[in-house]
Amino acid sequence: TKTNHYLDFSNGKLTVQGDIRLSSGDSAVSTLDMSNGISLAVNNIQIGNRNLLTDTKTFSGYNNYNYYTKADEQYNGLDVYYKLAPWGGLFKQISLKAGKTYTFAAYVKGDQNCGVYMYGGTNIDGVGFGKITEWTRIHYTFVADSNAYTCRVENVVNESYLAVCGYSPIEGNKGYEDWTPAPEDVAQDV
């Protein structure tokens, strides 16, 4: 042991003095320099949670709206829209700041044949999730490279079903787990 390096667990609090080395088997996989490692980790957490899109409870005024059917049921109090054809996700253009980190999240549910794809903005900026047959909150974190984006979820498989609701693009990479309305939508409801 090194002088002034220790672990102390007392009164429900863990105190670490020195560096932490994480290992797998006999070989070290990572070392955390306690003097600046914790502050770097904390500084890299980006908290969001302000939905940057309006009308995400109803999708009113969204592009491709006329290609979707409103489901009879809601999910978590949100209107659900579904489509039996690929591509053409519901979207509304949004202004983002280039160079900033954003996370886009949505609830999705499809059939056994669906192929879920989520776009953070451009047609080439996205991620695939495969088939999702139970309501699931999916998310995609990206760094904006321009100011105009069209966050959307699409089905990439012909003759299959995909339902969506609860879009919420936020700034940062934390706070996307639950849907919240945009502040402008709350003000309209008051």
Side-chain angles (χ1 to χ4, degrees):
T1 62
K2 295 182 179 180
T3 306
N4 296 326
H5 285 66
Y6 61 88
L7 291 173
D8 176 48
F9 184 76
S10 56
N11 300 321
K13 181 179 175 184
L14 176 64
T15 303
V16 177
Q17 175 67 38
D19 295 338
I20 296 176
R21 172 167 272 175
L22 304 174
S23 63
S24 173
D26 294 325
S27 61
V29 293
S30 179
T31 299
L32 176 61
D33 175 5
M34 293 301 287
S35 61
N36 65 21
I38 291 176
S39 61
L40 286 173
V42 170
N43 289 339
N44 284 331
I45 295 174
Q46 301 172 14
I47 305 296
N49 210 8
R50 189 240 188 258
N51 194 337
L52 300 172
L53 277 175
T54 58
D55 302 310
T56 58
K57 184 175 181 177
T58 62
F59 290 113
S60 177
Y62 277 60
N63 291 306
N64 295 332
Y65 182 84
N66 54 328
Y67 299 116
Y68 281 76
T69 302
K70 183 178 177 184
D72 292 334
E73 79 281 351
Q74 292 187 321
Y75 181 73
N76 287 347
L78 302 167
D79 289 350
V80 172
Y81 285 84
Y82 67 92
K83 187 176 171 195
L84 297 170
W87 310 112
L90 287 165
F91 74 92
K92 182 187 277 188
Q93 188 142 338
I94 183 172
S95 293
L96 303 178
K97 295 177 185 168
K100 293 254 184 197
T101 299
Y102 295 90
T103 300
F104 172 46
Y107 293 109
V108 300
K109 177 184 174 183
D111 62 19
Q112 291 293 329
N113 299 317
C114 75
V116 179
Y117 208 85
M118 176 177 265
Y119 292 95
T122 66
N123 285 333
I124 58 172
D125 182 21
V127 63
F129 289 89
K131 68 180 174 184
I132 298 174
T133 58
E134 299 294 326
W135 280 113
T136 304
R137 186 92 172 143
I138 61 173
H139 71 278
Y140 175 53
T141 301
F142 61 97
V143 176
D145 59 4
S146 69
N147 294 329
Y149 275 79
T150 57
C151 299
R152 64 198 185 281
V153 177
E154 296 186 343
N155 184 5
V156 298
V157 178
N158 284 319
E159 299 178 20
S160 63
Y161 165 95
L162 181 65
V164 297
C165 67
Y167 280 17
S168 60
I170 61 167
E171 186 174 334
N173 59 8
K174 301 287 182 223
Y176 57 81
E177 294 84 358
D178 296 310
W179 174 85
T180 57
E184 298 88 343
D185 292 335
V186 174
Q188 290 176 6
D189 290 343
V190 175

